[in-house]
Amino acid sequence: MSRYTRRAFGQAAAGAIGAFGAAPQLFAAADAKASPAAPLAVPDLPALGSRTPLVGNLAAGVLEEAARATPIVEECDVIVCGAGPAGIAAAINAARAGAKTRLLEVHGCLGGVWTAGALTWILDYANKPGLMAEIVRHLQQRHAVAHKGSVAYDVEQMKLLLEELVSAVGVCVQYHTRVVGAIKDDKNRLSVVVTESKSGRQAWRAKTFVDCTGDGDLAALAGCGFDYGSPDGGLAQPMSLMALLTGLNADEVTPFTRELAESGGWAGPKDRLKAEMEKGGNSPSYAKPTMFHLREDLFALMANHEYGVSSMDAGQMTAATMRARAEIHRLVNGLRGLGGVWSKVKIVATGEQIGVREGRRIRGLYEVSTNDLAIGARHKDAVCRVTFGIDVHSTDPTKTKGIEAKPVKSRPYDIPYRALVAKDVDGLLLAGRCISGDFIAHSSYRVTGNSVALGEAAGAAAAVSALAGTTPRETDFETIRPTWTKLQFAQAMKA
Ligand SMILES: Cc1cc2nc3c(=O)[nH]c(=O)nc-3n(C[C@H](O)[C@H](O)[C@H](O)COP(=O)(O)OP(=O)(O)OC[C@H]3O[C@@H](n4cnc5c(N)ncnc54)[C@H](O)[C@@H]3O)c2cc1C
């Protein structure tokens, strides 16, 4: 790369992903290295990676850390924590509504379960206008969606598209950064989040925050009340590690593939795939293993359940991830051993992040309930119409390793804005699977088409309240509605 292009790229990247303060200096330093004749532009940069050692006392099995000063590295209107389907939508809409917006994400890509989790399948998207429809349209134009009318997408194309979308509207992103702390002011309003990353410990101030961490990490750190798991037993739905497969011929494996097989139900292909796995010597921990066709010879596989694992326990999640990865390799090796249509099947990748169906359900001003599903609830401040039904993956493998019986018949229902407003802390909105709802309702609204819609509403609300100097609790939805509606009819990025 020439010196000119390298600088131009550095400036473009710093502007596009909004790297603050030091980034242009870092690029200047890189230039200087590339050309020995150039003077060193920033001789006072601290040695890369240098850190102030921690001070503390070890007492009775605990480390008591001494107080330390953490730099406030940025002040914004809106900070969105977590960049899954809900987080990207919240950040994009907040920025489009005119708010200076920062998006913090622990992984090295946008999309959450869509990408780091290699999910590949978008449910409940068809009645969602706005960003959800725009994402699908862009994927179709890039030939990154498998079938017309359904949304099985190419994970790498999704990563790239989401980065282009957030850059197009000026969202500032920082990857590899985990939110680990939250500070409130004396009026119980969230005002600063603290992160840990390779840059050390950093503090970020904003007028309004949106928790899109899936597990409700930010809200819990800020002291919000929450519920977890089923009312009987307290266990959450099982996790699943996704895998991408190649070496298959779509025509040959049609009978085993969701959407390719006969119309009128998914049970057939799932049951046939399970029978093949068992013929190969392994019974999958998920009794309804599913194969999705993504493009040409690229497929996705969901065949694993990790029961009784808490997303709030890193040790449990590590063990579950290792068990799941080993199981997927056993299952695919077993299929390959059968020969025939499976003779060349290979794993391209497993999810970098095991798929977490359920974490904390943060208490909001309204709790979406099972009864809402039963009656098909309607609300004046509705921000999302859910059409996906109840879908509880078994919490108890001794009863079933598939899907639990539905306690009620559900009808399409609304999620009101109030379910996105944290009850116990001001200045905080929720979007995605951590919004306020009960165990059964969560199993229905958690899918990604709804997460995007909820993120869009939270992003618009966050921007409106931040720019007006109020809190989401004080902001009546009728004040937010014009911004939210306008964004649903505009494009974030030209095709
Ligand atoms: C195995 C599996 C299969 C599923 N099948 C489908 C399906 O077929 N179709 C469908 O539409 N939906 C499906 N779902 C549901 C769906 O994936 C999730 O409910 C949805 O992703 C929720 O979106 P979200 O943005 O709330 O959370 P997530 O996608 O979980 O995103 C949360 C983001 O926050 C980040 N994060 C978490 N904690 C922190 C922190 N402390 N600091 C910074 N960043 C943080 C994470 O890295 C992640 O990027 C499935 C889920 C699973 C697990």
Side-chain angles (χ1 to χ4, degrees):
M1 190 185 281
S2 75
R3 188 161 183 267
Y4 171 78
T5 345
R6 183 187 283 266
R7 173 169 287 135
F9 170 76
Q11 284 163 352
I17 65 169
F20 57 88
Q25 294 179 329
L26 288 174
F27 281 111
D31 272 4
K33 254 192 202 160
S35 163
L40 192 62
V42 278
D44 56 346
L45 265 186
L48 267 186
S50 66
R51 290 283 178 275
T52 310
L54 282 181
V55 179
N57 292 318
L58 266 181
V62 294
L63 172 67
E64 289 172 352
E65 289 183 56
R68 52 182 159 155
T70 300
I72 294 192
V73 291
E74 196 176 51
E75 308 219 0
C76 341
D77 297 315
V78 174
I79 290 181
V80 178
C81 300
I88 55 100
I92 286 172
N93 256 14
R96 289 163 81 201
K100 181 182 175 197
T101 305
R102 169 62 67 177
L103 180 56
L104 300 169
E105 165 58 44
V106 72
H107 286 302
C109 62
L110 301 175
V113 172
W114 264 350
T115 52
L119 175 61
T120 74
W121 190 254
I122 304 175
L123 288 166
D124 215 353
Y125 71 95
N127 67 334
K128 308 293 181 305
L131 187 62
M132 188 68 261
E134 187 177 351
I135 288 173
V136 173
R137 212 165 41 242
H138 283 296
L139 290 171
Q140 277 166 341
Q141 278 161 358
R142 294 165 190 215
H143 307 288
V145 177
H147 315 288
K148 209 174 167 206
S150 70
V151 183
Y153 59 87
D154 180 316
V155 169
E156 286 304 315
Q157 288 295 326
M158 180 69 100
K159 287 181 190 169
L160 182 64
L161 170 63
L162 296 180
E163 287 179 349
E164 290 172 3
L165 282 166
V166 299
S167 300
V169 299
V171 173
C172 306
V173 179
Q174 185 163 300
Y175 284 148
H176 311 296
T177 299
R178 184 178 288 278
V179 176
V180 297
I183 314 287
K184 294 178 286 185
D185 67 12
D186 56 4
K187 296 193 180 76
N188 195 37
R189 181 176 179 156
L190 185 58
S191 50
V192 170
V193 293
V194 179
T195 58
E196 290 276 5
S197 70
K198 288 278 191 180
S199 302
R201 201 162 163 91
Q202 297 178 309
W204 311 73
R205 188 195 294 275
K207 294 173 186 148
T208 311
F209 295 82
V210 191
D211 186 343
C212 296
T213 61
D215 294 325
D217 283 9
L218 172 60
L221 288 165
C224 289
F226 61 86
D227 296 292
Y228 180 82
S230 70
D232 50 333
L235 289 178
Q237 293 188 52
M239 300 181 185
S240 296
L241 185 66
M242 297 290 302
L244 300 177
L245 306 180
T246 188
L248 297 167
N249 178 312
D251 292 332
E252 291 176 356
V253 294
T254 290
F256 311 104
T257 311
R258 182 178 158 148
E259 294 283 301
L260 288 186
E262 75 278 359
S263 57
W266 311 318
K270 290 178 180 221
D271 291 345
R272 285 190 284 271
L273 181 59
K274 178 168 177 261
E276 289 288 280
M277 287 174 166
E278 285 171 346
K279 233 195 283 176
N282 302 287
S283 187
S285 52
Y286 174 36
K288 297 287 175 190
T290 314
M291 214 163 70
F292 307 94
H293 182 221
L294 308 185
R295 62 192 305 172
E296 292 95 36
D297 63 347
L298 187 61
F299 289 74
L301 177 71
M302 184 173 76
N304 149 267
H305 264 180
E306 292 298 327
Y307 300 95
V309 179
S310 167
S311 63
M312 295 171 285
D313 184 318
Q316 287 186 20
M317 285 190 66
T318 304
T321 305
M322 290 187 179
R323 271 197 309 270
R325 195 164 281 129
E327 178 182 5
I328 290 167
H329 277 269
R330 271 198 312 277
L331 290 169
V332 173
N333 290 344
L335 287 174
R336 195 182 317 106
L338 297 176
V341 301
W342 304 110
S343 60
K344 293 192 180 136
V345 66
K346 278 190 286 291
I347 297 175
V348 180
T350 50
E352 195 269 326
Q353 163 75 60
I354 192 167
V356 178
R357 287 192 173 79
E358 195 184 346
R360 300 180 190 88
R361 305 189 307 274
I362 305 299
R363 294 200 187 128
L365 298 183
Y366 180 93
E367 185 187 76
V368 184
S369 69
T370 310
N371 189 51
D372 286 353
L373 278 62
I375 63 170
R378 296 287 179 270
H379 297 282
K380 273 193 185 151
D381 58 343
V383 292
C384 175
R385 170 76 45 89
V386 179
T387 69
F388 188 67
I390 295 167
D391 186 33
V392 178
H393 285 243
S394 173
T395 56
D396 182 356
T398 62
K399 290 186 182 148
T400 171
K401 291 185 177 178
I403 306 294
E404 290 181 7
K406 301 181 194 332
V408 295
K409 186 169 164 36
S410 66
R411 298 159 58 187
Y413 62 96
D414 289 347
I415 296 185
Y417 169 63
R418 285 159 291 151
L420 278 52
V421 181
K423 185 174 158 208
D424 300 326
V425 171
D426 272 334
L428 176 61
L429 286 150
L430 318 160
R433 61 186 167 85
C434 64
I435 66 160
S436 182
D438 72 19
F439 177 71
I440 295 296
H442 167 277
S443 78
S444 150
Y445 62 66
R446 69 186 169 90
V447 296
T448 57
N450 301 315
S451 294
V452 172
L454 296 170
E456 285 180 278
V464 169
S465 55
L467 297 176
T470 58
T471 64
R473 187 196 303 273
E474 292 162 345
T475 313
D476 184 85
F477 189 67
E478 289 314 311
T479 317
I480 299 158
R481 188 185 297 283
T483 304
W484 176 66
T485 310
K486 195 171 126 202
L487 293 175
Q488 285 194 311
F489 291 101
Q491 272 196 347
M493 184 174 78
K494 285 214 169 76

